[in-house]
Amino acid sequence: MIMESAVGEQIITTNLKQFLLVLSVSLGVATLPQIFSWFRHIPYTLLLVIVGLGLAFVDVRLVTLSPELILFIFLPPLLFEAAWNLHWAELKRNLVTICLYAVLGVVISIAGIAFGLNQLAEISLTTALLIGASLSATDPVSVTALFRELGVGKNLTTMMEGESLFNDGMAVVAFGFMVALSLGNAKLGFQPILLQLVIVVGIGVAVGGLIGFGISYLTQRFDLPMVEQSLTLVSAYGTYLVIEELGGSGVIGVVTTGLILGNFGSRVGMNPRTRVIVSEFWDFLAFFVNSIVFLLIGDQIRFAVLGENLQIIGITIAAMILMRAVAIYLLSNLSAVITQHQIPLPEQTVLWWGGVRGSVSIALALSVPIGLPQRETIIATVFGVVLFTLLVQGLTIKPLLQKLNLLGDAPLRDQYSQLATRHVALERVLQHLQSDKRPGIDPEFYRYQETLIKGEIENLQTKIDKLQIEYPNIRTFITEQFREELLAIEADTYAEFVRAGRLNTELAPMLADVWENGNSH
């Protein structure tokens, strides 16, 4: 008994050391762009992959990446955070297109990759289908992070994120069916596939919706930010585990819960200040988890194994890129027929090239049963393709955006923010200078400083006016920024009154309505 306890403690100590090592390396890499400006040209997630590859090259293995670690520990918070921040109004506007990409796009991807591998690489159909199912889930974390940094349009970002959220669930369902097919526990046919899909997705949506609305109702009863924040964390993991236990899609369930809490529960059950606290918590958690995941993806690469399967990887990449193009361009036109809304060709091109693969694909490949033939080939192929999409597609998406003139106005926003901040700072200096007349200081000095500051303020105002005239769209950003400042002041005032006991916490739903109405203007 003492021996078992000592062994258990040794395992815990070793795992803790490994975790701290991974965390230290990943957070260290994430800070590199702040120290060396050159690294700012590379999204930090891709920088983590590159550093992981460097560690793999010298054969330093931080931890062993398992499917359970990805699917049960890393995936739920990433799904929840993305769904929490996905606005329903924007999602609804593109829902038909996203569903076409997420459902039919997955089918096209699996069929095309499987056919290419079966015909050109002479791989068995069941193995080819497993590779196709593993690679049907897009994971554009680095791409969407770059979109936000560059100010790319919300419409394109929503389509990219929405497709990823929903096709993760479809890919997991499809992969489970392919594994059952390989083991002889299922038959390939339209009716059994459709029935399985309806059951798995239905359980996910139903249970996820029940948990989401249940927590929304619960948070209306009290105003405790830390408790409400903890409830969202429990709901992310709890939803996934419960639905998987019931035989449904945990991915779809977490997405459903996140969408409900982010768009409904946080509005009616949380006051504005609490919503800010919870949102900041999930932003941190997503950054934290992504930092670990992308470092480990690079660190798990086995270069010798990739070299042995180079031909298969090349064929898979070609088939995947071709099928992605077929799916995006074909389904975009189909969506235009249904919705009467045409997606611009440049945006379709970015959606095609930005469909990178990541942690979900790797988790699915690693979860292939050990008894199945060519398991190592499946894993090596998926790792090789994921590496290609992250490094080649991920690093070339910015030049593509520039070529297609889809870069947003982020540089202009930064320029305006710098000018406006200096303007406000000098106004405060001027006020202090005019109100604080100290004895012993020459009045001429006051007049000279006042003239200098007023001249600089006028110069800044001229630059701001010129910026607004040349780029009228910047006025929308200015208005949004000012409205956010007003709402922040309002939220701080409510929080101050609650702490002082001058405001009843039961008013939180009404205050949330005020916040919601402010966002709609």
Side-chain angles (χ1 to χ4, degrees):
M1 189 69 181
I2 296 175
M3 181 70 70
E4 290 179 359
S5 177
V7 171
E9 289 178 3
Q10 181 64 35
I11 292 173
I12 293 173
T13 303
T14 302
N15 289 339
L16 182 60
K17 288 179 179 177
Q18 287 180 326
F19 172 74
L20 291 174
L21 178 61
V22 172
L23 187 60
S24 300
V25 173
S26 61
L27 295 181
V29 172
T31 60
L32 280 178
Q34 307 305 319
I35 302 172
F36 304 102
S37 59
W38 185 85
F39 287 113
R40 293 173 190 169
H41 299 289
I42 306 174
Y44 90 94
T45 49
L46 300 187
L47 193 60
L48 286 161
V49 174
I50 294 170
V51 171
L53 285 173
L55 293 173
F57 184 75
V58 295
D59 202 29
V60 174
R61 309 295 176 180
L62 298 173
V63 295
T64 301
L65 199 59
S66 67
E68 291 79 16
L69 186 64
I70 296 175
L71 293 176
F72 290 96
I73 303 299
F74 293 152
L75 191 57
L78 293 178
L79 292 170
F80 187 93
E81 185 270 339
W84 170 274
N85 289 310
L86 194 60
H87 297 295
W88 173 247
E90 296 169 12
L91 179 64
K92 185 171 62 175
R93 193 181 307 122
N94 299 284
L95 192 58
V96 172
T97 308
I98 289 171
C99 289
L100 288 174
Y101 291 161
V103 179
L104 296 183
V106 167
V107 174
I108 292 171
S109 176
I110 294 174
I113 293 173
F115 179 80
L117 287 173
N118 182 250
Q119 296 298 311
L120 300 177
E122 298 180 351
I123 291 179
S124 67
L125 185 59
T126 53
T127 301
L129 286 169
L130 282 171
I131 293 175
S134 299
L135 292 170
S136 61
T138 59
D139 187 17
V141 172
S142 55
V143 175
T144 52
L146 189 64
F147 282 4
R148 293 192 187 95
E149 179 186 334
L150 298 174
V152 174
K154 288 184 178 180
N155 200 56
L156 185 57
T157 306
T158 299
M159 283 193 289
M160 187 75 80
E161 285 188 324
E163 180 203 0
S164 175
L165 283 174
F166 288 107
N167 79 3
D168 281 356
M170 292 299 302
V172 172
V173 172
F175 179 82
F177 185 84
M178 296 306 169
V179 169
L181 184 68
S182 302
L183 296 173
N185 298 328
K187 293 182 180 180
L188 191 60
F190 178 76
Q191 187 173 352
I193 292 176
L194 183 62
L195 180 62
Q196 178 73 6
L197 180 65
V198 170
I199 292 173
V200 171
V201 173
I203 293 175
V205 172
V207 178
L210 186 65
I211 292 174
F213 283 116
I215 292 178
S216 299
Y217 175 80
L218 187 63
T219 53
Q220 285 183 284
R221 310 273 73 83
F222 51 79
D223 183 24
L224 300 170
M226 294 298 105
V227 173
E228 293 172 70
Q229 177 179 289
S230 302
L231 277 174
T232 60
L233 181 63
V234 170
S235 70
Y237 283 104
T239 300
Y240 190 91
L241 295 173
V242 168
I243 293 176
E244 286 292 318
E245 194 68 28
L246 293 174
S249 171
V251 173
I252 296 294
V254 173
V255 170
T256 303
T257 302
L259 280 172
I260 291 171
L261 288 176
N263 290 275
F264 174 74
S266 63
R267 305 295 184 185
V268 302
M270 299 179 184
N271 68 39
R273 187 66 176 169
T274 301
R275 177 174 171 79
V276 171
I277 291 172
V278 175
S279 295
E280 288 177 348
F281 165 75
W282 281 104
D283 287 343
F284 161 74
L285 193 58
F287 167 79
F288 182 82
V289 173
N290 274 319
S291 298
I292 296 174
V293 169
F294 281 91
L295 178 69
L296 294 182
I297 286 176
D299 185 55
Q300 299 300 300
I301 297 296
R302 302 291 195 273
F303 292 100
V305 179
L306 291 186
E308 295 170 2
N309 295 275
L310 209 54
Q311 182 183 3
I312 297 174
I313 292 172
I315 293 171
T316 306
I317 290 171
M320 182 193 69
I321 291 176
L322 178 61
M323 287 302 102
R324 176 72 178 173
V326 170
I328 292 298
Y329 292 116
L330 178 66
L331 297 176
S332 295
N333 287 323
L334 178 58
S335 171
V337 172
I338 297 172
T339 64
Q340 303 299 311
H341 172 68
Q342 181 68 48
I343 301 171
L345 191 61
E347 292 190 5
Q348 293 182 40
T349 303
V350 172
L351 287 168
W352 159 58
W353 192 247
V356 299
R357 272 59 172 178
S359 56
V360 175
S361 294
I362 287 176
L364 294 178
L366 291 173
S367 61
V368 172
I370 296 177
L372 286 180
Q374 296 186 297
R375 180 178 184 270
E376 295 305 316
T377 300
I378 295 171
I379 295 173
T381 302
V382 170
F383 264 95
V385 173
V386 168
L387 192 61
F388 173 87
T389 63
L390 288 173
L391 295 184
V392 177
Q393 293 178 249
L395 290 174
T396 55
I397 195 72
K398 183 176 180 179
L400 180 63
L401 289 166
Q402 292 172 328
K403 185 73 175 176
L404 297 173
N405 295 318
L406 287 175
L407 285 182
D409 55 3
L412 293 175
R413 294 184 177 193
D414 289 341
Q415 185 180 351
Y416 167 78
S417 296
Q418 291 174 10
L419 292 172
T421 301
R422 181 157 172 74
H423 189 284
V424 171
L426 289 177
E427 286 280 6
R428 292 181 180 178
V429 171
L430 184 62
Q431 290 174 8
H432 182 75
L433 188 67
Q434 293 172 340
S435 62
D436 189 4
K437 302 291 186 181
R438 298 186 182 180
I441 298 179
D442 190 348
E444 187 62 31
F445 174 81
Y446 277 103
R447 285 192 293 271
Y448 177 69
Q449 293 296 328
E450 187 174 343
T451 302
L452 283 179
I453 294 170
K454 285 182 176 178
E456 184 61 23
I457 289 174
E458 289 177 5
N459 184 37
L460 288 169
Q461 188 61 53
T462 301
K463 291 180 179 179
I464 291 172
D465 293 340
K466 183 181 178 182
L467 198 65
Q468 293 184 53
I469 293 170
E470 292 180 356
Y471 305 99
N473 290 340
I474 198 73
R475 293 181 181 178
T476 303
F477 166 69
I478 295 171
T479 304
E480 289 178 356
Q481 191 179 55
F482 186 63
R483 180 174 56 80
E484 287 175 2
E485 291 175 8
L486 295 177
L487 290 173
I489 293 171
E490 180 187 10
D492 287 336
T493 304
Y494 293 150
E496 179 185 340
F497 277 33
V498 169
R499 285 194 297 268
R502 296 171 60 188
L503 181 66
N504 187 349
T505 56
E506 291 297 321
L507 290 176
M510 184 188 72
L511 303 182
D513 289 338
V514 173
W515 173 273
E516 176 68 22
N517 292 333
N519 278 327
S520 64
H521 293 313

